Amino acid sequence: MKTNELILKFEDKEEEYNFADKINKIEDGKLVKILGRENIKNSNSTLIIKSMNLPISDVIQFKINVSEVGSFLFNFEKSKMNDQIREEILSKITKLHDDVEPTKETQINKIKNLISIVSEYEEIYCSYLPNGKFKLSFDELSEALKDIEFSFPILALENKEKGIFDVEGSKLGFRKFTIDYLFTSIFSILMSFGVMTGIFQIFNKQSIAAFLLVLAFVFFGVLTYSIYSVIYKQNKEVNKKLKYFLLIYTTVGIAVGIIIAWIVCKFALKVEVEGLSLTTVALISGGASLALSIASIYTPKLINLIVKKI
């Protein structure tokens, strides 16, 4: 089956990128960054699909995560996609899900079935983001799909540049920084700030302590959901180590929150109880915040079980 040619171009540049093979290796850092993220995040990109005179962000997209192998971003023209077709595709893909412990062989078979399903529809192109212990190299992906019939080009993204995708040679198996990780730090700051000011006001015998502690638990809930959205995709944990890595971000957030709360308690809040020790309050608050932070990386498993039941 002949592969439909895909031509990409930045509007402000003359250079064009032509992809006419079934599997294409993409190493250009700028292309990797754009093609590897959801189209909703590409609204300001100048990259267009020249072969269709279509902005890269103006497509219907499905992101399918294959556990321990990576993610596939399938892109369709809006005029050729409706709710009925979308539900039909997703229904077929959902049937590929099972509870079998993944191996490289089982995941390659899932990829073959996935590509076969999508090939029944008029797709523009697909991006593959390697991730996990069974991630496939360009050659492995080419070999796996050599006997599968499909007409759209698959773009295998490979980039060693730090901060975009740590794919080849990464011992972690996931990115070291994303904006989602940063939000876990922000929510940790707000949570620990609420914990310390609340505990301070308990010792200070102020009724506002209850409100501050409730606020802290609200941010604990937001932090937990934020971590859930990072470590679980399609009801699957994307990487077993990622939740522990996020402890770095939450711990930094707790430290910053405690420092800010210390300054507020010392200089902005009125002390009613003589001899109230800020050091004691900070130690208690830091311990409580750290306990909540550890809880926030395990609670998402419960959230995921509930979501799966629903």
Side-chain angles (χ1 to χ4, degrees):
M1 184 181 291
K2 188 176 184 230
T3 304
N4 297 328
E5 185 179 23
L6 174 71
I7 304 175
L8 302 178
K9 179 184 180 299
F10 289 99
E11 290 180 307
D12 53 346
K13 296 185 183 298
E14 291 298 319
E15 184 182 7
E16 294 182 355
Y17 304 88
N18 294 60
F19 306 106
D21 297 328
K22 289 175 70 174
I23 316 293
N24 305 268
K25 182 188 289 188
I26 312 296
E27 297 180 294
D28 181 281
K30 193 172 181 181
L31 271 185
V32 168
K33 187 173 182 179
I34 294 172
L35 295 173
R37 63 188 180 195
E38 293 87 342
N39 62 341
I40 194 172
K41 298 177 182 177
N42 285 323
S43 57
N44 296 321
S45 174
T46 60
L47 186 65
I48 62 170
I49 304 173
K50 189 183 176 185
S51 48
M52 303 178 68
N53 194 28
L54 187 71
I56 198 74
S57 60
D58 196 22
V59 294
I60 297 293
Q61 194 176 68
F62 294 99
K63 183 175 183 179
I64 308 299
N65 295 300
V66 180
S67 181
E68 301 296 351
V69 171
S71 301
F72 290 82
L73 285 165
F74 297 100
N75 300 271
F76 299 85
E77 194 174 353
K78 284 183 178 178
S79 62
K80 296 180 180 178
M81 180 63 59
N82 56 41
D83 289 341
Q84 181 180 347
I85 295 174
R86 181 189 290 109
E87 291 302 319
E88 186 177 304
I89 295 172
L90 292 177
S91 175
K92 290 179 179 179
I93 291 174
T94 301
K95 291 176 182 176
L96 298 178
H97 173 75
D98 58 47
D99 295 320
V100 177
E101 186 68 26
T103 64
K104 195 157 192 170
E105 183 178 4
T106 61
Q107 301 313 84
I108 285 175
N109 285 332
K110 283 184 181 178
I111 292 170
K112 289 180 179 180
N113 291 329
L114 177 62
I115 299 300
S116 295
I117 288 170
V118 180
S119 68
E120 299 173 17
Y121 304 88
E122 298 181 68
E123 191 192 0
I124 305 172
Y125 72 95
C126 167
S127 296
Y128 166 56
L129 293 76
N131 189 29
K133 63 182 177 182
F134 303 134
K135 63 189 176 189
L136 304 179
S137 66
F138 169 77
D139 292 334
E140 288 175 320
L141 185 63
S142 299
E143 177 65 24
L145 298 177
K146 67 179 182 180
D147 297 325
I148 305 298
E149 293 290 328
F150 57 94
S151 60
F152 56 89
I154 295 178
L155 311 181
L157 308 183
E158 295 189 7
N159 199 295
K160 299 177 185 179
E161 186 178 338
K162 221 172 184 181
I164 299 178
F165 294 103
D166 297 324
V167 177
E168 296 296 326
S170 169
K171 293 180 180 179
L172 290 174
F174 52 79
R175 281 179 278 180
K176 296 174 184 175
F177 174 80
T178 72
I179 194 68
D180 294 324
Y181 298 178
L182 182 60
F183 277 116
T184 63
S185 287
I186 292 171
F187 297 138
S188 296
I189 290 171
L190 296 169
M191 178 188 72
S192 58
F193 177 84
V195 168
M196 179 161 174
T197 53
I199 292 175
F200 175 83
Q201 293 293 38
I202 289 175
F203 281 106
N204 204 27
K205 298 182 179 178
Q206 298 294 310
S207 58
I208 196 174
F211 170 76
L212 292 168
L213 290 177
V214 167
L215 199 62
F217 275 100
V218 168
F219 282 114
F220 166 71
V222 176
L223 171 64
T224 299
Y225 187 78
S226 175
I227 291 175
Y228 161 75
S229 66
V230 170
I231 65 178
Y232 283 96
K233 303 295 180 186
Q234 302 289 322
N235 300 124
K236 285 282 190 179
E237 194 171 357
V238 295
N239 191 295
K240 300 291 184 184
K241 300 175 185 175
L242 180 54
K243 59 177 175 286
Y244 304 113
F245 181 76
L246 289 179
L247 274 174
I248 297 172
Y249 285 85
T250 58
T251 303
V252 170
I254 287 169
V256 173
I258 294 295
I259 291 169
I260 295 172
W262 176 292
I263 294 169
V264 170
C265 291
K266 186 173 181 64
F267 299 106
L269 298 180
K270 187 177 179 182
V271 179
E272 300 289 348
V273 177
E274 188 179 347
L276 179 54
S277 172
L278 264 180
T279 302
T280 301
V281 172
L283 288 173
I284 295 171
S285 303
S289 297
L290 189 58
L292 289 173
S293 173
I294 294 170
S296 71
I297 70 168
Y298 290 106
T299 308
K301 186 171 185 178
L302 176 60
I303 296 175
N304 189 56
L305 289 172
I306 293 171
V307 170
K308 286 178 76 172
K309 288 290 183 183
I310 295 174

